[in-house]
Amino acid sequence: MATDKSNTRSLMQAHLAVLLFGLAGVIGRGVSSPAFVVTFARVLFSSITLGLFFLFRRKDVRLKRPGDLAMLALAGVIMAAHWTMFMASIQQAGVAVGTITFATFPLFVTFLEPLMFHEKLKTGGIIQAVIMLVGVMVLAPLGKPDPGLVSGILLGMGSSLTYAMLSLLNRRFTASYSSTQVCFYEQSIATLVLLPLILIQRPEVIVADIPYLIVLGIVCTALAHSLFIASFAGLKVRTAGIISGMETVYSIILASLLLAEFPSVRELIGGAIILGVVMYTTLKTEK
C-alpha cells in the first residue's frame, strides 16, 4: 500500500512539474518583454530561490573538482542560449510551433551522443531523426512562407539543438552531483551571462510583466524542476520520459485556455508525428 501511495505521489509530482513547464511557454508568449529579458528573469529568480533553499537547508554546494566549474559554465552559457531561443520562438510563431520544434531534441541527441561519448550511431536513430524532420517540414506552410513562422521554426530548432547539448553535458554531472545542485550552478551562470546584455540594452521594464516573470522563475522553473527531480524516486525512466513528452500537449492546451491561441491542423499533424517518434523512442529505450 505504501508503495502504491509513493508511486501515485511521484506521478502527481511529475505531471504537475510538466504542467508548470508547459505554463512557462504560455507566460513567455503572453508577456510583452523581449525573449532575453524573459530568460534573464527566469534564471535570476530561479537561481535565487534555489540558493535560498540550499542556504536554509544548510546543504553543501561546493564542487568536488575544479575542472567541473568550467564545464558547468559552458552548460550555463548553453542554457542561456537555449531558453532565449525557446522564448523567442514562442513569441514569434506561437506556443504550438515553439514547443513542437523544441520536442525534436532527441533528433540532435541521436547524432551528438556518439560524438561526445564515443558510442555507435544506430540506424534506427537515423530513421527516427528523418521522421522528425518530416514532422518539422509539415509545420512550414507551402507556397509563400510566413517570415515570422519560418523564424520561429528555426529558433525552435536552435533551442532543440542547445537543449540536446545541455542534456548530454548534464549526463557527465549526474554521477557526482544532484540535479538540483547542477540546476543552481547552470542557472546562476546563465544569469551572469545575460546580465551584460541587460546592462547594455537597458530594456524598458514593463511593470505589468513583473509578477508573471517572478512566477516563471520561482514556480515554473525552480519549483517545477524540484518536483520533477523528486518524482524520479517512484517512477521508471520510461514513465518519466512519457510524462515529460506531455509538455507540448499541456502547453497547447494552456495556450488555448489562457490565450485563446488554438493550433492549426498542420501544427497538430506535425506535432503528432514528432511526439509519436519521441514516445516510441522512450518506450523502446526502456525495453
Side-chain angles (χ1 to χ4, degrees), residues 21-23 25-26 95 99 246-256:
F21 290 150
L23 180 61
V26 176
V95 172
T99 55
M246 290 291 293
E247 179 181 346
T248 300
V249 178
Y250 285 143
S251 295
I252 292 174
I253 292 173
L254 289 171
S256 300

Side-chain angles (χ1 to χ4, degrees), residues 257-277:
L257 294 174
L258 301 177
L259 304 177
E261 182 178 294
F262 303 98
S264 66
V265 174
R266 186 181 65 252
E267 290 168 352
L268 290 175
I269 295 173
I273 293 172
I274 293 169
L275 292 179
V277 175

Side-chain angles (χ1 to χ4, degrees), residues 48-67:
I48 290 174
T49 302
L50 292 174
L52 290 174
F53 167 78
F54 287 125
L55 180 64
F56 286 121
R57 295 291 296 271
R58 295 182 179 179
K59 288 184 174 290
D60 186 7
V61 296
R62 288 177 296 181
L63 299 178
K64 298 177 181 179
R65 296 174 294 271

Side-chain angles (χ1 to χ4, degrees), residues 6 11 21 80 115 126 129 135-136 146 156 158 167 171 223 227 234 236 249 273 284 286:
S6 176
L11 278 170
F21 290 150
L115 293 176
I126 297 175
V136 174
D146 177 5
S167 299
R171 178 176 162 182
L223 176 61
L227 284 171
K236 294 181 179 179
V249 178
I273 293 172
K284 187 175 180 181
E286 178 69 11

Side-chain angles (χ1 to χ4, degrees), residues 9-281:
R9 183 173 64 250
S10 295
L11 278 170
M12 292 178 64
Q13 287 174 330
H15 275 286
L16 178 57
V18 175
L19 179 67
L20 293 175
F21 290 150
L23 180 61
V26 176
I27 291 177
R29 174 68 166 171
V31 299
S32 303
S33 301
F36 74 92
V37 175
V38 177
T39 302
F40 175 75
R42 182 177 191 178
V43 292
L44 173 64
F45 290 121
S46 179
S47 58
I48 290 174
T49 302
L50 292 174
L52 290 174
F53 167 78
F54 287 125
L55 180 64
F56 286 121
R57 295 291 296 271
R58 295 182 179 179
K59 288 184 174 290
D60 186 7
V61 296
R62 288 177 296 181
L63 299 178
K64 298 177 181 179
R65 296 174 294 271
D68 289 344
L69 181 58
M71 294 298 293
L72 284 166
L74 175 61
V77 172
I78 294 173
M79 173 179 280
H82 158 61
W83 272 342
T84 300
M85 285 190 285
F86 176 66
M87 289 298 173
S89 173
I90 284 177
Q91 289 181 348
Q92 293 191 27
V95 172
V97 171
T99 55
I100 289 171
T101 49
F102 161 67
T104 62
F105 73 88
L107 180 158
F108 295 106
V109 172
T110 298
F111 297 99
L112 290 175
E113 197 167 34
L115 293 176
M116 293 182 65
F117 294 96
H118 306 291
E119 297 174 354
K120 186 178 180 181
L121 181 61
K122 297 179 180 178
T123 304
I126 297 175
I127 295 173
Q128 292 158 15
V130 171
I131 297 173
M132 280 192 178
L133 280 177
V134 171
V136 174
M137 291 173 66
V138 170
L139 294 176
L142 298 174
K144 295 182 179 180
D146 177 5
L149 177 59
V150 173
S151 176
I153 291 174
L154 292 175
L155 285 166
M157 294 299 289
S159 76
S160 177
L161 170 61
T162 47
Y163 184 75
M165 295 168 63
L166 184 63
S167 299
L168 292 175
L169 278 174
N170 285 342
R171 178 176 162 182
R172 295 179 177 270
F173 302 127
T174 52
S176 304
Y177 304 103
S178 69
S179 298
T180 308
Q181 188 177 355
V182 172
C183 285
F184 169 69
Y185 272 97
E186 290 177 350
Q187 292 172 16
S188 298
I189 291 167
T191 303
L192 295 176
V193 168
L194 291 169
L195 182 59
L197 184 59
I198 296 292
L199 295 176
I200 293 171
Q201 294 287 333
R202 294 189 179 183
E204 180 182 355
V205 178
I206 301 173
V207 178
D209 285 351
I210 294 177
Y212 296 104
L213 296 177
I214 293 174
V215 170
L216 177 63
I218 297 176
V219 179
C220 298
T221 306
L223 176 61
H225 278 284
S226 299
L227 284 171
F228 195 65
I229 292 165
S231 73
F232 293 161
L235 295 181
K236 294 181 179 179
V237 174
R238 176 181 62 182
T239 306
I242 291 173
I243 294 173
S244 64
M246 290 291 293
E247 179 181 346
T248 300
V249 178
Y250 285 143
S251 295
I252 292 174
I253 292 173
L254 289 171
S256 300
L257 294 174
L258 301 177
L259 304 177
E261 182 178 294
F262 303 98
S264 66
V265 174
R266 186 181 65 252
E267 290 168 352
L268 290 175
I269 295 173
I273 293 172
I274 293 169
L275 292 179
V277 175
V278 172
M279 295 298 180
Y280 171 78
T281 304

